[in-house]
Amino acid sequence: MATMPDILIMGGGAIGLAIALELRLRGANVTVVTRDAVEAASQSAAGMLAPQAEKLPPGPLLELCLQSRSLYPAWTQKLEAMTGLPTGYWSCGILAPVYETESAAKDAIASTTPDSPHPTPDSPLPTPAHWLDRPTIHQHQPGLSQSVIGGWWYPQDAQVDNRALTNALWAAVHDAGVEIRAGVTVQKVLHQQSQVIGVQAGEETLQAGHYVLAAGAWSQELLPIPVHPRKGQMLSVRVPTGAIALPLQTVLFGSEIYIVPRQDGRIVIGATSEDVGFVPHNTPAGIQSLLSRAIRLYPALEQFPIQELWWGFRPTTPDELPILGTSPYANLTLATGHHRNGILLIPVTAQLIADRILHQKNDPLLNAFHWSRFKGLP
Ligand code: GLY
């Protein structure tokens, strides 16, 4: 007879897998149940580790994101050592060019914070941001549009190859002895008063001592928490064969566009942000808007061969903050709603959720992400 796991995780995206790995490495018996790992937002992201380029306002989310960004180098190194697989972590920095038309906004910031922490002078961050003027930015990154009049340079923002990372996480959880139930759909969380007593998956009822909901944009199918899909369309191009060096050595983060060069010559371009529910497919309008913004920012892209088009669903809450930690049920923990920062928040989410489940340690930072802030919502 199969023994009951200590912890059952609903969701086989990168967040669910990273929590599983952290719990397993701390000695727990863990099962991951996943309907379709390919659907997860972690497959479709760009992998930017960009709390500064995303211009998150000072507050708990920025704090959480900065903490996670600082965990990334050691965390990916450990994962690579465990599995022998690459994660594509690259401390390439992120450049946020500004056009003439946006210069008023830049002036407001630059006049108060020349070469200083971003985003406001009264809430300095322990992380640098540098304003580059026109000659400096064009020297820093040749090939930018001539309409770029300067930009912010965030040297500590970085990137990871989210697909490589997810592969490495799969291998790591498998090798560590996590049971993975792939292709299994959880239909219902069964509870009695404030305890989860199992989850229904087809004919089966799966049971564990503790449960984690990490089902991303699909979380609302299992619990009445307001997590909705926010669709993002993306595409990739390749540096043409014969190029002597990679033309882009840093992420470009422009107005409603980002261009993320990988070290293997792939260049990821994203992303739309659409409130259309779970409507699949790329659309001509979505791809056209991405291409025109990307080519405007970095004109040479117009000749690069297109490699792939895809889309994904960000898990988004009404206030665009994640839902982390306790739930209405004593033995169920929530790790969902990561919106635009899911890949960035993987290591810190895994750490804080494992601390909570195994050591009853509730980091005060989790208070801002408590599910009960949505009480009263339908
Ligand atoms: N992290 C960027 C995005 O969600 O588009």
Coordinates of all heavy atoms in Angstrom, one line a residue, residues 45-48 54 234 253 258 270-272 314 339-342, ligand 1:
A45 N 7.4 32.3 -19.9 CA 7.9 33.5 -19.5 C 9.2 33.9 -20.3 O 9.7 33.1 -21.1 CB 8.2 33.5 -18.0
A46 N 9.8 35.1 -20.0 CA 11.0 35.5 -20.6 C 12.2 35.2 -19.7 O 13.3 35.2 -20.1 CB 11.0 36.9 -21.0
G47 N 11.9 35.1 -18.4 CA 13.0 34.8 -17.4 C 13.7 36.0 -16.9 O 14.8 35.9 -16.3
M48 N 13.1 37.2 -17.1 CA 13.8 38.4 -16.5 C 13.7 38.4 -15.0 O 12.7 38.1 -14.4 CB 13.1 39.7 -17.1 CG 13.4 39.9 -18.5 SD 12.6 41.5 -19.0 CE 10.9 41.2 -18.7
E54 N 11.2 46.6 -13.8 CA 9.7 46.5 -13.7 C 9.2 47.7 -13.0 O 8.0 47.9 -12.9 CB 9.3 45.2 -13.0 CG 9.4 44.0 -13.9 CD 8.2 43.8 -14.9 OE1 7.2 44.5 -14.8 OE2 8.3 42.8 -15.7
M234 N 4.2 36.1 -26.9 CA 5.6 36.3 -27.1 C 6.1 35.7 -28.4 O 5.4 34.9 -29.0 CB 6.3 35.6 -25.9 CG 5.8 36.0 -24.5 SD 6.7 35.3 -23.2 CE 8.2 36.2 -23.3
F253 N 14.7 46.8 -21.9 CA 13.4 46.9 -21.3 C 12.8 48.2 -21.7 O 13.1 49.2 -21.1 CB 13.5 46.7 -19.8 CG 12.2 46.4 -19.1 CD1 11.9 45.1 -18.6 CD2 11.2 47.4 -19.0 CE1 10.7 44.8 -17.9 CE2 10.0 47.1 -18.3 CZ 9.8 45.8 -17.8
Y258 N 9.9 44.1 -24.1 CA 11.3 43.7 -23.6 C 11.9 42.7 -24.6 O 11.2 42.0 -25.3 CB 11.3 43.1 -22.2 CG 10.2 42.1 -21.9 CD1 10.3 40.8 -22.2 CD2 9.1 42.5 -21.1 CE1 9.4 39.9 -21.9 CE2 8.1 41.6 -20.8 CZ 8.3 40.3 -21.2 OH 7.3 39.4 -20.9
G270 N 8.9 40.0 -25.7 CA 7.6 39.9 -25.0 C 7.1 41.3 -24.5 O 7.9 42.2 -24.6
A271 N 6.0 41.3 -24.0 CA 4.9 40.4 -24.0 C 3.7 41.3 -24.0 O 3.7 42.3 -23.4 CB 4.9 39.4 -22.8
T272 N 2.6 40.8 -24.6 CA 1.3 41.5 -24.4 C 0.8 41.2 -23.0 O 1.3 40.4 -22.3 CB 0.3 41.0 -25.5 OG1 0.0 39.6 -25.2 CG2 0.8 41.1 -26.9
R314 N -0.4 34.5 -17.2 CA 0.1 35.0 -15.9 C -1.0 34.8 -14.8 O -2.1 35.1 -15.1 CB 0.5 36.4 -15.9 CG 1.6 36.8 -16.9 CD 1.7 38.4 -16.9 NE 2.6 38.9 -17.9 CZ 2.2 39.3 -19.1 NH1 0.9 39.2 -19.5 NH2 3.0 39.7 -20.0
H339 N 1.8 36.8 -10.8 CA 1.6 37.8 -11.9 C 2.8 37.9 -12.8 O 3.2 37.0 -13.4 CB 1.2 39.2 -11.2 CG 0.9 40.3 -12.2 ND1 0.1 40.1 -13.3 CD2 1.3 41.6 -12.2 CE1 0.0 41.2 -14.0 NE2 0.7 42.1 -13.3
R340 N 3.5 39.1 -12.8 CA 4.6 39.3 -13.8 C 5.9 38.8 -13.2 O 7.0 38.9 -13.9 CB 4.8 40.8 -14.1 CG 3.7 41.4 -14.9 CD 3.9 42.9 -15.2 NE 5.1 43.1 -16.0 CZ 5.1 43.2 -17.3 NH1 3.9 43.1 -18.0 NH2 6.2 43.4 -18.0
N341 N 5.9 38.4 -11.9 CA 7.2 38.1 -11.3 C 7.4 36.7 -10.8 O 8.2 36.4 -9.9 CB 7.4 39.1 -10.1 CG 7.4 40.5 -10.6 OD1 8.3 40.9 -11.4 ND2 6.4 41.3 -10.3
G342 N 6.7 35.8 -11.5 CA 6.8 34.4 -11.0 C 8.2 33.8 -11.1 O 8.6 33.2 -10.1
Ligands
GLY1 N1 7.8 39.4 -16.4 C1 7.3 40.1 -17.5 C2 6.0 39.7 -18.0 O1 5.2 39.1 -17.3 O2 5.6 40.1 -19.1

